[in-house]
Amino acid sequence: MERKNFNVNGKKYELITDPEEKLVHVLRKQLGLMGTKMACGNGQCGACTVILNGGLKRSCVVKMKNVPDGSVITTVEGIGQPDSLSRLQRAFVKHGCTQCGFCIPGFIVSGTKLLEENESPSREDVRHWFYKNNNLCRCTGYKPMVDAVMDVAKVMRGEEPDSFLDYVEPADGTVWGTRRPRPSAKDKVSGACQYGADIGARLPAGTLQMALVQAQISHGRILNIDTSKAEKMPGVERVITYKDVKGKNRIYGVVVFPWSKTDGFERPILCDEKIFQFGDAIAIVCADTFAHADAAAKFVEVEYEELPAAMNALDAMEEDALEIHPGIPNVYFEQKIIKGQDIDQALEGSEYRARGNFYTQRQPHLVIEPDVGFSYMDGDTLVIQSKSIYIYTHRAMIAAGLGLDPTKIRMVQNVMGGTFGYKLSPTLEALCGVVTLATGRPAYMEYSGYQTITYTGKRAPVFMDMELSADKDGMLTGAKFDFTMDHGPYSEFGDLLTAKILRNVANGYHVPNIYGSGRAVFTNHAFASAMRAYGAPQSQFGSEVLMDVLAEKMGLDPWEIRYRNVFRPGSTSPTGDELDVHPLPGLLELVKPKYERLKAESREFNRKPEGTLRRGVGLGVGVYNVGTDMADSAESRIELNPDNSVTIYNTWEDHGQGGDMGVLQTAHQALRDLGIRPEQIHTKLNDTAFCPDSGPAAASRSQFVVGNAIVNSCEKLMDAMRKDDGSFRTYEEMKAEGLETAYTGNFTTAPFCTMIDPATMQYKPVITYMYAVFLAQVEVDTSNGKTRVVSMTGAVDVGKIGNRLLVEGQIYGGMAQGIGMALSENFEDLKKHTTMRGCGFPTILDVPDDYEVICQETYRPQGPFGAAGCGELPTTAPHPAIINAIYDACGVRITHLPATPDKVLAALERV
Ligand code: MCN
Ligand code: FES
Ligand code: FES
């Protein structure tokens, strides 16, 4: 140990520290400065950035022995507090930089230093600064951060008044449709927001710290687990194995369609007989500190017989492939979609046909916040707090495995740093639960950056053959396709995903004849989970690329073929349902001027004979459902408080998309007649102990489905409060008259939808859809195959907009994930794809500064105040727009993602 003196945020501290300890841990654990975030742990993401003796440092890689005595340190808390924010923090709030907010302290510290050094940065200076200092963000697409820094610089130079940095409320008090920052924004920019690890660090003495013993192979039979050595290690209190699990020891994987060949109980909480994938949990070491638990975990000896591993779906379908779950075929779910007449006749009778073979990769979610959770007993109830985005259903998914009645489990969602869908599957919830049930003690678990990448769900890779056909007028006549989806070893929602992929091919276009078949296959690679636009990026990749191939065959412009075929009144979707609105022609018209301009610019650019750079432009049409299939329901409760404020209770889980703001804007609009101010609307969210079940924050459903339930509850309350003269009773008057002051509202899509026809998949799955047209301009370096996105635009229709900051932020962030999917992201190689950078995380320089969102607002008749959904739209089809732009630039069509430089170069060599 060393004794040193530091000045942290202007305060003097004498600290005794372990020279090998990282600065981030000393700040967080010894000084309680939780604003500095621990994320990747290897210096790649910048979430832990602090100013140390005048320079920016990533505190997760700085050991205390390298922090000199007398050091001066500034963390985000030293820059500004929620009630005294710095200029940059205010600008971050105003520009909506705080989605999940987990990266934000790092950006604030980094941006503050930049502005200290340079009062007049250019946008490129700002972009290069954040790049140089490794500030990564997965939610925002970076543009709002650059806008915020530029605004502060203007104020610093006296070009704008100080008030320029704050949101100005409209005089009439409107919230709906404005750019009002979300309620959690001030806490997020100042480091005051408490995430799972921040609460976890303050759990009571005696809390068990958990470390996992994980499989180092991908497939095997367990012969023996010997915990004796580990049990004797310092600080170890218990080593838990499957023998300690009191229930079925399986997580229920929710079988949506009963014709699936699995019952959904494949995934062990702790492996008992077999290992199904790399990283599977075999044992949990519980100790007084994480260091002790982690050290002891290495002494748990697992004896196994290694089995041949099927690392992709094609291998798992080979005749001699082992059944991964003995007794269940590896191809565990098969489904067809059939619309219209005989597909072969339709194709053969068509003037033009285009075929292709496509592959979309195992895309990693790449959240900045590591997976984290904890559990404890409250009386006879097991409480689990985690990053769950489906709290009621997760309770049901783990209850039988733990041997508990679901009502004896209380699930709470912690504030979280992004999930992008991976948390539709439980991760460590059941592991925490097992430890608390076995010991009666609170238990805490935090995955490392490595574990978060290697042991959480991924977007399911898909191999797809596809053919599209069109008549002589360029009108689509048919779509035929067949795909195989690699779902890893666990079935969770894999049947639903198969259906989503089937119904999203050529979605957005009226295709009279469709025949598609698909299958979900167990493999030994990472289990698949939900990921933003679940299913659509796989389908719309192939069909959007083939639209361009068809256009070329016909001599039509790619814009024109899309314009002719997109949904119009009378069109039907791939599942044969009619659409409530038809926004796509309008969206195409909105992007047309920029499309033409970028095309002309690219042609001009390419005219230069010298150099190896070539530019091109591409389009992608994206469509996605709003809501889960067939019967999507939600409840929400409202209570009138004695001070005449209200409290809303529901489970609109907040990944970072803005559940808090969604609730506020919807309730405020619904309660407008009451004249209530936003500060009078309180929320108690995402706790099964007192919130009704509003379903998951998935399927871009919350604004639409939960929003409608909120409106319904508000209407019920207002009906009860309304007097004959149209004015409203106060709380006191309600009580005096014996009137109820709390109401539960509900909404279900069931009356508007129809059940699936298992033979043809012709049905009405949802009420409404959201629509986008993506426009990309790229620059390909033909000497090395490197692609740079120069311009990216998303023209979107999400119905009436509840909050512009939220919607623009969603689209910016999602399009950046599309850039990653197109060019760099992958989780395939278990050795290489294990860090954020190794997985191809897009940096600020990978996202162009010409980055635009154009909104068209088509009123949705069934939506709350005309809104549809938004969250998943931006990842539907930005990647085919980029791939189409690569073709336009240099004549190579990449059909297997991601389009890494080696693939582009190899394709160029073949041209
Ligand atoms: N919204 C709006 N006006 C509309 C439509 C939506 O203001 N017309 C707002 C909503 O109030 C909400 C946001 O936009 O704050 C997204 O709304 P919605 O589409 O209803 O989606 P959910 O709230 O159900 O959020 C889930 C969705 C999904 S499925 C994934 S995955 C996802 C996403 O949103 N993961 C995210 N966005 C994410 N954003 C961040 N930062 N992090 C994630 O993990
Ligand atoms: Fe330190 Fe990522 S750079 S946590
Ligand atoms: Fe940057 Fe979520 S706001 S990672």
Side-chain angles (χ1 to χ4, degrees):
M1 295 295 151
E2 285 177 346
R3 174 172 171 255
K4 286 179 182 171
N5 289 295
F6 302 117
N7 181 320
V8 185
N9 299 332
K11 245 172 120 176
K12 288 184 182 158
Y13 292 92
E14 178 179 320
L15 283 179
I16 317 302
T17 59
D18 175 349
E20 293 301 317
E21 184 59 291
K22 304 281 172 47
L23 174 59
V24 63
H25 294 308
V26 170
L27 292 170
R28 288 178 57 79
K29 293 184 185 154
Q30 291 187 238
L31 293 177
L33 294 169
M34 300 291 177
T36 304
K37 298 301 174 203
M38 174 65 178
C40 67
N42 57 16
Q44 293 192 350
C45 77
C48 62
T49 304
V50 297
I51 303 174
L52 173 63
N53 298 323
L56 287 179
K57 286 280 181 283
R58 274 157 271 139
S59 58
C60 73
V61 289
V62 176
K63 287 191 173 167
M64 288 313 291
K65 64 183 176 198
N66 298 322
V67 182
D69 188 28
S71 286
V72 178
I73 301 168
T74 305
T75 69
V76 68
E77 290 93 343
I79 291 173
Q81 293 294 306
D83 54 0
S84 56
L85 297 180
S86 74
R87 281 174 169 165
L88 187 62
Q89 287 168 323
R90 284 159 53 208
F92 265 50
V93 170
K94 182 183 171 191
H95 282 280
C97 301
T98 52
Q99 291 195 33
C100 81
F102 208 74
C103 67
I104 295 300
F107 271 93
I108 290 289
V109 172
S110 177
T112 301
K113 182 76 190 144
L114 157 68
L115 287 163
E116 247 174 60
E117 289 187 8
N118 184 357
E119 232 184 60
S120 301
S122 65
R123 293 186 70 87
E124 275 311 298
D125 291 340
V126 179
R127 285 160 54 78
H128 277 90
W129 178 274
F130 285 137
Y131 176 76
K132 186 180 76 180
N133 290 296
N134 286 22
N135 293 113
L136 294 183
C137 175
R138 189 63 165 162
C139 300
T140 62
Y142 303 103
K143 183 169 188 272
M145 279 85 159
V146 182
D147 295 342
V149 174
M150 296 305 286
D151 275 9
V152 176
K154 279 185 202 154
V155 172
M156 286 169 72
R157 297 193 301 267
E159 293 163 18
E160 294 287 352
D162 192 65
S163 59
F164 184 59
L165 303 176
D166 295 316
Y167 169 71
V168 181
E169 236 178 82
D172 67 357
T174 309
V175 172
W176 183 264
T178 64
R179 305 183 76 82
R180 185 186 178 90
R182 67 182 71 200
S184 53
K186 286 186 178 176
D187 283 353
K188 285 179 174 171
V189 292
S190 58
C193 185
Q194 292 184 42
Y195 296 82
D198 308 333
I199 308 166
R202 298 186 179 113
L203 288 170
T207 297
L208 294 170
Q209 304 297 322
M210 299 158 64
L212 275 185
V213 177
Q214 292 179 277
Q216 300 303 308
I217 58 168
S218 296
H219 197 193
R221 199 166 286 123
I222 297 177
L223 304 177
N224 189 37
I225 304 170
D226 183 354
T227 59
S228 54
K229 283 189 190 140
E231 277 159 12
K232 294 187 194 103
M233 297 284 288
V236 172
E237 309 241 355
R238 273 289 284 273
V239 180
I240 304 277
T241 67
Y242 69 92
K243 290 182 188 152
D244 300 290
V245 184
K246 298 197 173 86
K248 203 175 159 82
N249 190 28
R250 290 291 179 278
I251 290 170
Y252 173 51
V254 186
V255 175
V256 176
F257 300 118
W259 52 97
S260 174
K261 291 178 187 140
T262 175
D263 64 2
F265 282 100
E266 317 88 22
R267 182 175 165 203
I269 296 174
L270 285 167
C271 292
D272 36 31
E273 292 170 4
K274 280 188 75 179
I275 289 160
F276 299 105
Q277 70 156 82
F278 178 83
D280 263 348
I282 298 171
I284 309 165
V285 180
C286 307
D288 55 346
T289 65
F290 174 72
H292 280 147
D294 196 38
K298 296 176 183 69
F299 288 84
V300 173
E301 289 170 352
V302 186
E303 226 181 292
Y304 52 73
E305 174 198 346
E306 193 163 359
L307 298 171
M311 297 305 278
N312 65 62
L314 304 183
D315 289 351
M317 285 164 61
E318 290 287 332
E319 244 172 53
D320 60 349
L322 285 180
E323 271 182 356
I324 290 168
H325 299 284
I328 310 174
N330 287 349
V331 179
Y332 70 89
F333 184 74
E334 292 173 89
Q335 181 63 46
K336 288 190 172 60
I337 185 169
I338 304 170
K339 179 185 177 192
Q341 67 172 86
D342 182 275
I343 190 67
D344 292 321
Q345 265 181 27
L347 296 178
E348 276 153 28
S350 298
E351 204 85 7
Y352 299 101
R353 297 169 72 168
R355 289 184 73 146
N357 169 272
F358 301 93
Y359 173 75
T360 50
Q361 74 273 46
R362 189 176 280 102
Q363 190 184 17
H365 297 68
L366 298 176
V367 290
I368 302 282
E369 181 194 34
D371 204 46
V372 59
F374 49 88
S375 54
Y376 48 93
M377 296 304 297
D378 182 354
D380 65 350
T381 301
L382 171 68
V383 187
I384 300 175
Q385 299 197 197
S386 72
K387 294 179 69 174
S388 170
I389 57 164
Y390 205 176
I391 57 174
Y392 271 94
T393 296
H394 282 181
R395 194 168 82 154
M397 288 170 82
I398 64 174
L402 293 174
L404 282 182
D405 187 90
T407 58
K408 291 289 170 212
I409 304 174
R410 172 180 168 194
M411 298 283 304
V412 180
Q413 180 234 292
N414 290 326
V415 175
M416 53 191 165
T419 91
F420 306 107
Y422 86 90
K423 282 299 305 180
L424 197 70
S425 296
T427 51
L428 45 62
E429 284 81 357
L431 297 170
C432 293
V434 164
V435 170
T436 292
L437 288 175
T439 62
R441 308 237 318 245
Y444 175 77
M445 177 174 269
E446 186 180 324
Y447 283 6
S448 64
Y450 173 82
Q451 284 172 312
T452 303
I453 288 175
T454 55
Y455 191 45
T456 55
K458 299 286 169 286
R459 194 188 289 288
V462 167
F463 302 84
M464 181 151 1
D465 286 312
M466 193 188 291
E467 179 164 1
L468 295 186
S469 61
D471 66 16
K472 60 179 176 11
D473 300 321
M475 303 305 291
L476 291 171
T477 51
K480 185 178 182 183
F481 58 94
D482 178 77
F483 70 83
T484 295
M485 183 237 293
D486 175 341
H487 207 264
Y490 307 127
S491 68
E492 280 160 42
F493 305 102
D495 51 354
L496 177 67
L497 176 57
T498 311
K500 284 191 184 254
I501 296 172
L502 284 162
R503 70 173 203 236
N504 271 302
V505 167
N507 202 0
Y509 304 110
H510 177 70
V511 187
N513 309 296
I514 297 178
Y515 182 96
S517 47
R519 59 203 62 80
V521 183
F522 285 132
T523 72
N524 296 110
H525 212 310
F527 69 98
S529 66
M531 187 168 184
R532 206 171 190 177
Y534 204 23
Q538 291 96 326
S539 321
Q540 290 170 26
F541 175 54
S543 49
E544 281 306 301
V545 169
L546 287 186
M547 286 300 278
D548 268 31
V549 178
L550 266 183
E552 190 179 33
K553 288 192 174 198
M554 296 170 194
L556 272 185
D557 186 276
W559 185 92
E560 183 59 35
I561 190 173
R562 288 177 170 81
Y563 192 67
R564 286 188 194 179
N565 284 285
V566 288
F567 291 153
R568 287 191 170 73
S571 301
T572 51
S573 79
T575 53
D577 57 324
E578 286 183 4
L579 294 317
D580 56 342
V581 290
H582 305 91
L584 280 169
L587 291 173
L588 279 161
E589 284 158 20
L590 277 174
V591 300
K592 184 94 194 295
K594 189 165 181 182
Y595 174 66
E596 294 298 343
R597 175 167 64 75
L598 293 180
K599 261 194 342 182
E601 258 177 46
S602 300
R603 301 287 170 266
E604 188 56 35
F605 184 90
N606 294 343
R607 251 195 277 282
K608 285 181 237 144
E610 75 282 4
T612 55
L613 303 178
R614 290 289 173 272
R615 286 194 175 186
V617 178
L619 290 169
V621 164
V623 180
Y624 202 62
N625 55 255
V626 177
T628 56
D629 272 32
M630 296 176 284
D632 190 354
S633 309
E635 290 192 343
S636 180
R637 200 157 71 89
I638 185 167
E639 229 176 84
L640 181 64
N641 301 319
D643 64 356
N644 290 305
S645 66
V646 296
T647 305
I648 311 277
Y649 301 82
N650 65 43
T651 65
W652 186 336
E653 294 95 347
D654 195 351
H655 311 230
Q657 84 280 18
D660 59 345
M661 188 65 207
V663 172
L664 175 66
Q665 72 206 22
T666 311
H668 184 264
Q669 186 69 3
L671 297 169
R672 285 285 343 230
D673 288 351
L674 279 185
I676 206 160
R677 294 189 312 278
E679 309 77 64
Q680 291 175 288
I681 299 175
H682 310 292
T683 53
K684 284 206 164 180
L685 306 174
N686 303 318
D687 184 335
T688 57
F690 46 75
C691 301
D693 186 0
S694 322
S700 302
R701 64 183 286 282
S702 304
Q703 182 62 65
F704 190 85
V705 181
V706 187
N708 270 320
I710 294 172
V711 173
N712 183 250
S713 67
C714 294
E715 281 169 353
K716 284 180 177 166
L717 174 66
M718 288 200 299
D719 285 347
M721 293 173 74
R722 198 172 284 111
K723 296 180 187 171
D724 290 343
D725 65 359
S727 65
F728 292 93
R729 293 178 178 86
T730 61
Y731 176 85
E732 265 183 24
E733 288 169 334
M734 297 278 285
K735 283 289 175 197
E737 292 180 45
L739 292 170
E740 190 51 66
T741 51
Y743 292 86
T744 299
N746 40 52
F747 179 73
T748 176
T749 62
F752 304 93
C753 299
T754 58
M755 294 306 282
I756 189 168
D757 175 345
T760 62
M761 261 190 73
Q762 295 301 286
Y763 68 128
K764 187 167 178 61
V766 293
I767 297 179
T768 196
Y769 294 85
M770 42 198 181
Y771 300 89
V773 175
F774 300 97
L775 165 62
Q777 184 187 32
V778 304
E779 186 175 278
V780 181
D781 187 335
T782 54
S783 70
N784 57 21
K786 266 195 191 158
T787 302
R788 180 172 77 88
V789 179
V790 180
S791 167
M792 192 81 207
T793 303
V796 300
D797 195 315
V798 300
K800 286 292 182 187
I801 292 177
N803 182 289
R804 286 172 191 279
L805 277 188
L806 294 182
V807 167
E808 287 170 13
Q810 288 292 290
I811 307 300
Y812 286 142
M815 288 198 303
Q817 293 174 352
I819 292 173
M821 185 166 187
L823 300 179
S824 57
E825 291 178 19
N826 209 353
F827 179 74
E828 187 59 36
D829 184 330
L830 294 174
K831 294 213 159 55
K832 182 175 144 204
H833 296 138
T834 55
T835 63
M836 291 185 189
R837 294 299 176 97
C839 286
F841 196 123
T843 69
I844 193 165
L845 294 188
D846 296 316
V847 179
D849 200 36
D850 178 2
Y851 202 54
E852 196 183 357
V853 179
I854 304 173
C855 295
Q856 172 183 277
E857 292 183 76
T858 307
Y859 188 90
R860 297 301 196 277
Q862 308 298 337
F865 315 113
C870 165
E872 293 168 285
L873 180 61
T875 49
T876 49
H879 52 302
I882 293 166
I883 296 302
N884 288 336
I886 293 177
Y887 180 79
D888 188 49
C890 62
V892 303
R893 250 188 235 292
I894 302 299
T895 51
H896 289 48
L897 295 181
T900 45
D902 55 318
K903 276 190 208 163
V904 176
L905 197 59
L908 277 165
E909 279 160 11
R910 286 196 298 269
V911 173

